């Protein structure tokens, strides 16, 4: 019986057609990376090690396309992004280094600009010296995208923040440091995980303020808006010259379901800036930012848990309404739990903001008609001071007609500042 079956079995095996793995497509087999993408639609292109200099943005379209490999893409044109990814599904960008050459690092463009993408994965990318007033990585109108294990280093530049068009709140333009690491707009289901976002080039030092005239108001309206501080207007100087965020998630009425997990942020102006709904901010380290994180402009159902806020100077965690808040776009329904705030007031910007600040701030908004921040649980948080506290109160709750409502505090450890634990009673 075995002698009869064995030949039959071998015959069946011989009739099976072998399935070969797809061959690797190397960008170096074509005149350039863009040519390789154009010749191989809906395929992932391998970019080998070495420098790949471009002068126009690389455009990625289609389904299941992308770029992978250890190569370094150098954009020599400061007017162009490095990668533009638009209307794709399942695109993969992995292991690349994206940068600009010496003398052309300052730009108004992004390193990666992704628009209307579904399921985009950016993984283990290094974005170095894309110093922009915009953001190094930008997602716009995307869904179910992932930014993971990427390194973004030196993303800020000297520029002018022109707020003259806002005739109610500002009405002036000033010299500043600006630029962001990652900015997500009008997107849902975004995962931002395990990234390192560090600014080493521009720090908020007194030397840099003098060198670049930071904070100097260079243009203003003929008449001071009522909301603008009279001293600021007269002296033509604002302290708020360190702009931008390491990580911002915005478009408060369209951005939803965001996870910000396990990122390392260092030397930012604002560490994490949220204007969105239903976000999780967990297990991040935000070191040496003048604001650790804030959620405003109608940010609802924000879970802020198990983060490390180190060496923040203005506040570590701030929740508040903003100009974009209204009756159908309110702030609140959030939880702030099990976070550690350490060495508050020991960052680069302490000399700017001084000792009258607070690790936790719950504010009353930018405009009198902003709906109040409502229903926030604050529990199990720890403020730790290595020496005398460098703050007035551990917690500040703003007053006024739209003061926060429904704040509940329990099991927190808040050492008193120079004038106490809080400026108002902390209700259990």
């Amino acid at each position: 019986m075995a002698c009869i079956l064995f030949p039959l079995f071998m015959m069946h095996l011989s009739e099976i057609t072998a399935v070969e793995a797809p061959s690797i497509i190397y960008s170096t087999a074509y005149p350039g990376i863009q040519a390789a993408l154009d010749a191989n639609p809906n395929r992932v292109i391998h970019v080998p090690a070495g420098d790949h200099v471009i002068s126009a943005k690389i455009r990625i379209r289609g389904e299941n396309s992308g770029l992978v490999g250890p190569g370094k893409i150098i954009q020599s044109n400061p007017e162009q992004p490095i990668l533009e990814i638009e209307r794709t599904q399942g695109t993969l960008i992995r292991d690349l280094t994206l940068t600009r050459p010496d003398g052309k690092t300052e730009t108004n463009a992004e390193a990666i600009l992704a628009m209307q993408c579904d399921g985009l994965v950016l993984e283990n990318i290094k974005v170095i010296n894309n110093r922009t007033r915009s953001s190094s990585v930008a997602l716009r109108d995307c869904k179910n995208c992932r930014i993971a294990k990427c390194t973004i280093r030196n993303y800020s530049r000297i520029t002018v923040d022109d707020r003259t068009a806002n005739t109610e709140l500002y009405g002036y333009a000033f010299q500043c440091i600006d630029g962001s690491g990652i900015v997500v707009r009008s997107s849902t289901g975004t995962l931002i995980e395990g990234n390192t976002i560090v600014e080493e080039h521009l720090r908020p030092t007194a030397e840099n303020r003098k060198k670049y005239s930071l904070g100097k108001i260079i243009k203003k309206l003929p008449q001071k808006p009522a909301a603008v501080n009279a001293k600021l207007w007269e002296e033509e100087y604002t302290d708020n010259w360190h702009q931008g965020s390491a990580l911002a998630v915005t478009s408060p009425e369209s951005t939803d379901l965001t996870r910000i997990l396990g990122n390392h942020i260092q030397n930012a102006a604002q560490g994490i800036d949220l204007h969105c709904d239903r976000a999780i901010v967990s297990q991040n380290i935000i070191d040496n930012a003048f604001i650790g994180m804030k959620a405003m402009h109608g940010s609802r159902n924000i879970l802020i848990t198990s983060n490390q806020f180190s060496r923040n100077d203005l506040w570590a965690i701030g929740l508040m309404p903003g100009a974009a808040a209204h009756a159908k776009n309110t702030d609140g329904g959030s939880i702030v739990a099990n976070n550690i705030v350490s060495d508050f007031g020991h960052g680069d910007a302490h000399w700017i903001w001084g000792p009258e600040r607070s690790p936790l701030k719950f504010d009353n908004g930018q405009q009198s008609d902003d709906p109040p921040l409502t229903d926030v649980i604050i529990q199990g948080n720890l403020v730790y001071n290595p020496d005398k506290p460098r703050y007035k109160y551990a917690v500040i709750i703003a007053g006024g007609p739209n003061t926060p409502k429904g704040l509940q505090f329990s099991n927190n450890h808040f050492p008193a500042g120079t004038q106490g634990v809080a400026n108002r009673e902390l209700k259990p």
Side-chain angles (χ1 to χ4, degrees):
M1 190 71 173
C3 293
I4 296 171
L5 288 177
F6 181 76
L8 289 174
F9 177 69
M10 292 299 293
M11 179 183 67
H12 291 315
L13 279 180
S14 66
E15 293 175 352
I16 296 174
T17 302
V19 178
E20 296 183 0
S23 58
I24 297 174
I25 302 169
Y26 290 93
S27 64
T28 46
Y30 297 83
I33 296 172
Q34 187 65 60
L37 286 164
D38 293 344
N40 300 277
N42 305 323
R43 295 291 301 274
V44 174
I45 307 301
H46 184 89
V47 183
D51 293 349
H52 304 264
V53 180
I54 61 173
S55 58
K57 63 189 177 185
I58 295 171
R59 295 170 289 105
I60 300 174
R61 306 289 189 267
E63 298 183 5
N64 303 315
S65 55
L67 297 173
V68 302
K72 179 191 290 186
I73 301 176
I74 303 171
Q75 174 59 279
S76 62
N77 185 349
E79 303 301 318
Q80 296 259 315
I82 301 175
L83 304 182
E84 181 184 86
I85 310 163
E86 186 173 13
R87 297 179 183 176
T88 68
Q89 289 188 332
T91 292
L92 173 64
I93 311 294
R94 190 180 64 206
D95 299 335
L96 295 169
T97 297
L98 308 179
T99 189
R100 297 179 185 269
D102 291 344
K104 295 182 180 180
T105 56
E106 290 198 353
T107 177
N108 292 328
E110 299 81 8
I112 300 175
L113 174 58
M115 301 172 288
Q116 297 178 283
C117 297
D118 186 348
L120 168 68
V121 174
L122 305 177
E123 185 174 77
N124 197 35
I125 306 297
K126 295 181 178 67
V127 181
I128 312 296
N129 290 329
N130 191 83
R131 303 174 188 174
T132 178
R133 63 178 301 164
S134 178
S135 59
S136 282
V137 176
L139 266 59
R140 300 175 187 170
D141 301 295
C142 294
K143 58 183 180 179
N144 304 323
C145 297
R146 174 160 57 94
I147 305 171
K149 301 178 184 178
C150 296
T151 297
I152 300 172
R153 192 178 300 276
N154 296 338
Y155 52 85
S156 299
R157 62 166 292 180
I158 302 296
T159 187
V160 173
D161 190 336
D162 191 341
R163 303 185 180 187
T164 53
N166 190 330
T167 58
E168 184 177 355
L169 295 178
Y170 300 102
Y172 57 87
F174 59 99
Q175 288 282 113
C176 69
I177 298 171
D178 203 356
S180 296
I182 297 172
V183 175
V184 176
R185 299 182 187 275
S186 302
S187 299
T188 59
T190 309
L191 173 62
I192 306 169
E193 181 179 29
N195 302 288
T196 298
I197 309 172
V198 178
E199 175 60 50
E200 296 172 328
H201 173 62
L202 287 173
R203 304 278 284 273
T205 63
E207 293 77 14
N208 277 335
R209 183 183 70 170
K210 181 178 179 180
K211 179 179 179 181
Y212 299 112
S213 300
L214 297 170
K216 179 178 175 58
I217 294 175
I218 60 173
K219 181 171 62 172
K220 62 182 181 180
L221 299 177
Q223 188 69 32
K224 180 184 81 68
V228 176
N229 180 277
K231 181 180 178 183
L232 175 152
W233 194 261
E234 182 179 337
E235 294 182 354
E236 298 186 340
Y237 172 79
T238 175
D239 282 335
N240 197 29
W241 46 259
H242 194 190
Q243 293 290 311
S245 304
L247 198 165
V249 181
T250 186
S251 305
E253 297 186 66
S254 57
T255 297
D256 201 0
L257 303 172
T258 306
R259 292 157 291 164
I260 302 171
L261 311 175
N263 300 284
H264 175 74
I265 294 168
Q266 194 166 28
N267 306 335
Q270 302 175 106
I272 298 173
D273 190 13
L274 301 183
H275 312 155
C276 62
D277 293 337
R278 291 184 290 186
I280 299 173
V281 180
S282 185
Q283 299 181 16
N284 302 284
I285 295 175
I286 299 103
D287 177 56
N288 193 24
F290 83 81
I291 294 174
M293 73 150 290
K294 74 177 194 291
M296 62 184 299
H297 292 301
S299 292
R300 285 176 289 183
N301 308 134
I302 309 299
L303 180 60
I304 304 163
T305 179
S306 305
N307 301 284
Q308 289 273 0
F309 296 94
S310 170
R311 297 192 298 156
N312 305 145
D313 292 309
L314 185 56
W315 61 74
I317 302 173
L319 274 62
M320 63 211 70
H326 52 77
K328 294 183 179 180
N329 182 44
T330 60
D331 294 80
S334 298
I335 295 175
V336 181
N338 303 327
N339 301 284
I340 297 177
V341 179
S342 60
D343 298 320
F344 185 84
H346 289 263
D348 285 348
H350 174 73
W351 69 277
I352 302 171
W353 300 108
E356 303 301 308
R357 307 302 167 179
S358 171
L360 282 81
K361 186 170 186 179
F362 304 94
D363 213 344
N364 58 4
Q366 293 179 307
Q367 298 174 312
S368 60
D369 62 348
D370 291 339
L373 173 71
T374 305
D375 297 337
V376 180
I377 293 173
I378 305 100
Q379 65 179 22
N381 300 286
L382 169 67
V383 175
Y384 177 77
N385 302 312
D387 49 24
K388 294 181 180 180
R390 290 189 175 185
Y391 51 81
K392 190 175 181 178
Y393 299 104
V395 178
I396 291 180
I397 303 171
N402 57 358
T403 187
K405 299 179 180 179
L407 305 185
Q408 297 187 18
F409 293 80
S410 64
N411 299 321
N412 299 287
H413 180 70
F414 294 150
T418 57
Q419 296 193 26
V421 172
N423 65 329
R424 298 177 60 189
E425 180 184 357
L426 303 183
K427 296 181 180 180

